[in-house]
């Protein structure tokens, strides 16, 4: 894949911002944009909002270095290492010899960053996509001792009659629900 | 199970793969790396050693070289790769490092205690919930310990030259109990389910209030860790609050156990909400959270949970320190030593190990 673009990355070194660099950055973005999330492979890292940017910099010797920036969905997300490795290998395979993956912590990831295409892919895979993330300014976080007031509709049958099973699921970003219409359990990507 | 009497006669209809190696040709066995037919030329001993032929051993590709075949790679990764870790102007780097250790050790030790619950919760959903919370806190601990090391490399234990252990792991696995800065609430032994519910409620109520304030830190790493942590710990606190309510209004037995856990852990709350002198001076420099209003807020939240649950506020005095020293100063209960012994034993046995 991207064999037409990949070798261009090794093109003549020049000052950043030249046409060759622009093409190479575009090619790198295309490659990085196709890397999938290891735990939710129906989503690309770009659709998940984890891939924050792909840039090209020149080191002291003038060699091109692709810099990809990623942000964790949750602080302890163990998939970060796999994401980093996948990005490096896919870019290497596409001909980008030097790849650096940086971590971006600020601003923190929000489920609002999942793209429309990503939401459609989640639904197609039987997962419930997140609603709008709660907006709050500073000050004490209100305590919630009851079940959440709004439950997501069932991604399988569309029924609104669903119940929260647990706010913690198989991955840090998902909650468990069950549908009282079709009786199937389903996973919901949490709003944060 | 079959009910046939035990016989000394060889069993003839046993699958070949289940038979101990006796030197005869092996059929249908996968131990040598792939399915084989009965007339396979390979009939060597099935000792479990890699089989080599002109194509090399099936394990050759796993040794050295490309780390991509391992699910998580073989290299350690820097959780702060590419993040600006310079210390803000006017902030004492050593003080900042010590503060990061306080918050990081709270998260690390609490995470370890929660991890011990794995497979022991009353049902699968709560098992997963506790493991998720442990993971969130472990993530916070990694960033905070890495931030401590970046602010003041002097806090990182010295390992043998060439050791691949990154600073945050050196801090987690190679410090002794007296160098840990966590509050004692995080380290005491686990009890029953009510115990972990109460412990998490107290811990996360205080941590949530603290992280909310820390979002305004002039230290960009701390501010970022706090902004993300607020979202995570809000889930932890509310999970604990809901279970507190459930156990309080449940059976006589669940109510009794909840009160016993509350009575045991309440004396450890004060240390969690107290402002350490180091926090005060760092807060003046804009790096640490200003916690002057924190005890009041935590008490209000806990009061709300207690009132909803119909549980009276325990009348227990705070657990004293020794000579004014407590967890933040490295003075711990013996439970921490046992916890560390288990957590650190493998890393300490292999200070130059690559995983």
């Amino acid at each position: 894949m991207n064999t037409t673009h990949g070798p261009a990355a090794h093109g003549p070194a020049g000052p950043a911002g030249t046409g060759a660099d622009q093409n190479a950055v575009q090619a790198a973005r295309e490659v990085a944009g196709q890397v999938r999330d290891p735990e939710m492979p129906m989503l690309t890292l770009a659709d998940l909002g984890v891939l924050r940017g792909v840039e090209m910099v020149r080191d002291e010797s003038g060699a091109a270095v692709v810099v990809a920036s990623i942000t964790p969905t949750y602080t302890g997300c163990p998939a970060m290492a796999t994401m980093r490795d996948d990005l490096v290998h896919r870019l290497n395979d596409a001909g980008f010899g030097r790849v650096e993956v940086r971590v971006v912590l600020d601003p923190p990831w929000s489920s609002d960053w999942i793209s429309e295409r990503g939401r459609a892919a989640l639904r197609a895979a039987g997962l419930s996509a997140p609603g709008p993330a709660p907006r709050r300014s500073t000050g004490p976080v209100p305590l919630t001792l009851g079940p959440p007031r709004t439950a997501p509709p069932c991604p399988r049958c569309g029924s609104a009659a669903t119940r929260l099973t647990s706010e913690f699921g198989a991955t840090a970003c998902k909650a468990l629900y069950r549908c009282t219409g079709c009786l199937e359990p389903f996973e919901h990507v949490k709003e944060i | 199970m079959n009910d046939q009497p035990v016989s000394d006669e060889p069993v003839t209809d046993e699958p070949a793969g289940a038979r101990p190696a006796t030197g005869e040709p092996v059929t249908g066995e996968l131990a040598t790396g792939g399915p084989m037919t009965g007339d396979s030329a390979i009939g060597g001993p099935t000792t479990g050693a890699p089989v080599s032929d002109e194509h090399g051993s099936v394990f050759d590709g796993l040794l050295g070289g490309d780390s991509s075949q391992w699910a998580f790679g073989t290299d350690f990764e820097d959780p702060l790769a590419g993040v600006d870790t310079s210390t803000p102007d006017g902030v004492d780097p050593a003080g900042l490092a010590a503060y990061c250790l306080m918050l990081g050790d709270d998260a690390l030790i609490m995470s370890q205690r929660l991890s011990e619950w794995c497979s022991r919760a009353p049902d699968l959903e709560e098992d997963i919930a506790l493991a998720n919370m442990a993971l969130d806190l472990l993530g916070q601990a990694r960033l905070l310990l890495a931030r401590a090391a970046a602010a003041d490399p002097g806090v990182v234990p010295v390992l043998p030259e060439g050791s691949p252990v990154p600073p945050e792991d050196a801090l987690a696995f190679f410090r002794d109990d007296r160098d840990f800065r966590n509050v004692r609430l995080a380290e005491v032994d686990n009890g029953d389910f009510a115990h972990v519910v109460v412990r998490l409620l107290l811990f996360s109520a205080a941590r949530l209030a603290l992280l909310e304030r820390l979002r305004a830190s002039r230290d960009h790493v701390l501010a970022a860790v706090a902004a993300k942590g607020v979202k995570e710990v809000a889930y932890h606190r509310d999970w604990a609050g809901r279970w507190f309510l459930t156990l309080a209004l449940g059976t006589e037995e669940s109510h009794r156990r909840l009160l016993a856990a509350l009575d045991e852990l309440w004396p450890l709350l004060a240390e969690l909400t107290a402002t350490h002198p180091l926090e005060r001076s760092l807060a003046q420099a804009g790096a640490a959270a200003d916690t002057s209003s924190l005890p009041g807020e935590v008490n209000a939240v806990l009061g709300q949970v207690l009132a909803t649950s119909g549980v009276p506020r325990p009348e227990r005095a705070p657990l004293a320190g020794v000579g004014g020293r407590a967890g933040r100063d490295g003075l711990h209960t013996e439970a921490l030593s046992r916890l560390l012994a288990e957590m650190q034993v493998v890393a300490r046995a292999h200070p130059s190990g690559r995983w």
Side-chain angles (χ1 to χ4, degrees):
Chain A
M1 49 161 298
N2 274 293
T3 47
T4 52
H5 293 292
H10 293 309
T18 63
D21 267 11
Q22 289 302 318
N23 289 342
V25 168
Q26 196 53 39
R29 283 183 184 149
E30 281 178 28
V31 174
Q34 290 169 12
V35 175
R36 293 181 175 274
D37 179 75
E39 289 179 337
M40 293 191 287
M42 74 292 286
L43 293 182
T44 62
L45 297 184
D47 283 336
L48 185 56
V50 158
L51 184 65
R52 304 307 295 156
V54 179
E55 304 298 333
M56 182 85 78
V57 299
R58 299 264 165 190
D59 69 5
E60 307 80 33
S61 66
V65 181
V66 174
V67 178
S69 304
I70 56 175
T71 190
T73 53
Y74 282 72
T75 315
C77 179
M80 284 289 279
T82 311
M83 292 177 185
R84 183 201 60 178
D85 281 358
D86 287 352
L87 277 168
V88 170
H89 284 96
R90 293 290 289 279
L91 284 161
N92 283 163
D93 290 348
F96 298 95
R98 294 194 49 201
V99 179
E100 192 182 311
V101 178
R102 292 182 186 166
V103 177
V104 180
L105 297 176
D106 182 40
W109 181 83
S110 164
S111 50
D112 286 349
W113 295 353
I114 301 178
S115 69
E116 274 313 312
R117 192 175 63 173
R119 285 161 199 271
L122 284 173
R123 285 189 286 265
L127 271 76
S128 163
R135 302 243 170 253
R136 48 174 300 274
S137 50
T138 53
V141 183
L143 181 73
T144 311
L145 291 179
R149 252 163 284 157
T150 55
C154 174
R156 296 178 197 276
C157 72
S159 166
T162 60
R163 281 202 195 144
L164 177 70
T165 306
S166 173
E167 279 183 319
F168 299 92
T171 64
C173 56
K174 286 181 288 193
L176 298 172
Y177 281 81
R178 63 194 170 88
C179 175
T180 52
C182 68
L183 303 180
E184 289 291 329
F186 65 90
E187 292 185 304
H188 173 70
V189 178
K190 286 191 270 195
E191 293 84 6
I192 68 162
Chain B
M1 300 298 291
N2 70 53
D3 297 315
Q4 289 171 359
V6 176
S7 162
D8 290 327
E9 293 299 309
V11 182
T12 52
D13 57 352
E14 186 185 13
R19 201 180 304 170
T22 53
E24 77 258 36
V26 178
T27 57
E29 180 157 329
L30 300 179
T32 49
M36 288 178 290
T37 55
D39 57 359
S40 166
I42 304 174
T46 56
T47 56
V51 171
S52 300
D53 57 17
E54 68 272 24
H55 303 300
S57 160
V58 290
F59 297 128
D60 280 353
L62 302 180
L63 303 172
D66 185 3
S67 68
S68 66
Q69 57 216 320
W70 297 102
F72 293 101
T74 54
D75 301 326
F76 291 105
E77 53 161 344
D78 177 6
L80 292 176
V83 175
D84 177 12
T85 53
S86 56
T87 303
D89 289 342
V91 175
D92 168 35
L96 180 62
Y99 181 61
C100 292
L101 289 181
M102 291 178 181
L103 303 187
D105 288 346
D106 278 358
L108 177 66
I109 301 304
M110 190 68 183
S111 175
Q112 179 72 11
R113 282 292 183 222
L114 291 176
S115 302
E116 291 171 6
W117 268 96
C118 199
S119 81
R120 296 178 184 191
D123 59 40
L124 184 58
E125 283 75 14
E126 304 322 323
D127 215 63
I128 292 170
L130 289 165
N132 263 272
M133 292 185 262
L135 188 61
D136 286 342
L137 290 173
L138 186 63
Q140 293 176 18
R142 285 193 66 190
L143 292 172
L144 289 164
L145 295 187
R147 208 287 165 262
D152 179 10
V155 299
V156 182
V158 177
L159 296 182
E161 197 168 337
S163 167
V165 175
E168 85 259 23
D169 279 20
L171 283 166
F173 297 124
F174 293 87
R175 273 183 303 158
D176 293 331
D177 53 354
R178 289 178 192 181
D179 297 325
F180 275 78
R181 297 282 173 258
N182 59 284
V183 293
R184 290 171 294 177
L185 176 73
E187 76 202 24
V188 292
D189 286 322
N190 278 328
D192 58 14
F193 186 67
H195 188 274
V196 74
V197 165
V198 172
R199 188 196 326 228
L200 254 174
L201 178 67
L202 303 184
F203 181 83
S204 49
R207 191 170 182 85
L208 182 56
L210 184 129
L211 293 178
E212 175 56 37
R213 287 161 174 76
L214 193 60
R215 289 169 59 188
S217 173
R218 285 176 57 229
D219 183 74
H220 295 305
V221 180
L222 281 179
V225 170
K228 196 151 199 61
V230 164
K231 297 180 177 197
E232 296 165 351
V233 178
Y235 274 100
H236 306 181
R237 184 198 62 180
D238 290 2
W239 178 91
R242 278 195 291 272
W243 266 112
F244 192 97
L245 183 63
T246 302
L247 296 178
L249 305 180
T251 63
E252 207 172 290
E253 177 69 359
S254 73
H255 189 81
R256 183 188 69 75
R257 285 177 178 241
L258 185 73
L259 293 191
L262 191 62
D263 200 53
E264 179 191 330
L265 293 169
W266 195 263
L268 294 162
L269 175 64
E271 186 185 347
L272 192 60
T273 55
T275 302
H276 191 272
L278 174 67
E279 288 180 277
R280 198 168 290 120
S281 65
L282 271 176
Q284 280 160 6
D290 176 1
T291 50
S292 50
S293 61
L294 188 138
E297 184 184 320
V298 172
N299 269 311
V301 168
L302 295 177
Q304 203 182 334
V305 177
L306 293 171
T308 311
S309 309
V311 171
R313 185 177 290 265
E315 291 179 11
R316 293 289 310 271
L319 181 66
V322 175
R325 296 169 69 239
R328 295 275 186 245
D329 312 295
L331 193 126
H332 296 283
T333 65
E334 66 181 44
L336 181 66
S337 309
R338 291 192 297 266
L339 179 150
L340 292 179
E342 183 174 340
M343 187 179 88
Q344 297 180 331
V345 61
V346 175
R348 286 196 180 227
H350 305 282
S352 299
R354 291 180 185 274
W355 310 99

